[in-house]
Amino acid sequence: MAVETDVVIVGAGPIGLFAVFELGLLDLKTHLVDILDRPGGQCTELYPEKPIYDIPGLPIVTGQELTDRLMEQIKPFGATFHLGQMATALEKLPDGRWKLKTDADTEVVAHAIVVAAGGGSFVPKRPPIAGIEDYEGKSVFYAVRKMENFRGKNILIAGGGDSALDWTLNLAPLANSLTLVHHRDGFRANQHSVNQMRELVDQGKIKFQVASVKALHGAGGKLEAVTLLNHDKTEAHLACDTFLPFFGLTMKLGPIAEFGLNLHENLIPVDTEKFESPTPGIFAIGDINTYPGKLKLILSGFHEAALMAQAAFHIARPNEKLRFQYTTSSSSLQKKLGVA
Ligand SMILES: Cc1cc2nc3c(=O)[nH]c(=O)nc-3n(C[C@H](O)[C@H](O)[C@H](O)COP(=O)(O)OP(=O)(O)OC[C@H]3O[C@@H](n4cnc5c(N)ncnc54)[C@H](O)[C@@H]3O)c2cc1C
């Protein structure tokens, strides 16, 4: 039996969460679906403890704190979360509404669909090292959920992007020893981070080596050492108990690719007035959409959510007028927020 609501949001990342707020202010009820077992998307899955510096009004906030604050902000609107579920199919009903199905057999019927699916179900790229699967989750990790777990470890980090550099800087004070390896002496990361990393190397606090990881040695998932292949093709033995490869993420868009949304390079093209896809009633906001000038920033997604909500209102309440109001001065908005 399908449940009915005003809007279904696919993806409970920061942008899906803020969409609940903007839709809620307009009295639209929402259900969210996310394959992850908790809200926050990339913020909680990839960098819960890392500080974000470009959220307006919050000079510094970690990925987890931002998620917690968004959850608190949307509390008054009582959104229903379907976590640990993949949105698998979308069907247009004869009455013009949409039915979204999940792999847990949840069915939600709504006037509008908001795809806030970010990079899709993101999967880290596994380095091509024989037998690495045996160590995953025990000595080999593709994300840092809790920095404390790495205290006192002998850590090897591989990669040349922001994640590799950021985790090198963040874990250096906690680790017993830390070595960064990259196949060349050049990085795709923020220059400031690269400079900071080089300073730590100069101070003898960490090591950097131009090399790639050729083999892992250990038993029962417990890593003891690796063989490094140096730039000059010589091999070296490095003792370590923790290996963090940061070779980027593979975007696995999954079933959204089958939603008939005319994807362009795995992104959903939208207009910049309503952030609606070419299929009326289906909106796309946050990292999943594309339009001229798109910036994959959280603040851009927040703006997109606000404009999307105005358009979704007219679909869900075709006979009602929408009056623009400020939260500071509207007693009706304040009542909805539970502050009046
Ligand atoms: C290391 C790092 C640092 C960053 N730093 C900053 C920064 O400083 N400032 C900034 O503005 N941005 C930053 N970003 C980018 C920012 O995290 C993204 O722009 C933001 O997370 C996008 O939010 P979103 O809600 O659109 O998507 P996401 O956060 O990707 O969330 C999408 C959600 O949709 C779910 N999903 C996808 N497909 C399905 C499906 N079929 N069924 C169910 N669920 C599905 C996923 O599981 C996910 O939870 C950073 C990103 C990274 C990786």
Side-chain angles (χ1 to χ4, degrees), residues 15 275 286 291 294-305:
I15 311 309
F275 297 94
Y291 54 84
K294 167 74 183 180
L295 285 180
K296 285 190 185 184
L297 283 177
I298 294 166
L299 77 90
S300 315
F302 287 170
H303 159 80
E304 295 161 15

Side-chain angles (χ1 to χ4, degrees), residues 11 15 34-36 41-42 47 52 54 86-87 117-118 286-287 297-298:
I15 311 309
D34 203 303
I35 182 70
L36 298 177
Q42 292 174 48
Y47 57 100
I52 311 171
D54 58 351
M86 176 81 94
D287 279 12
L297 283 177
I298 294 166

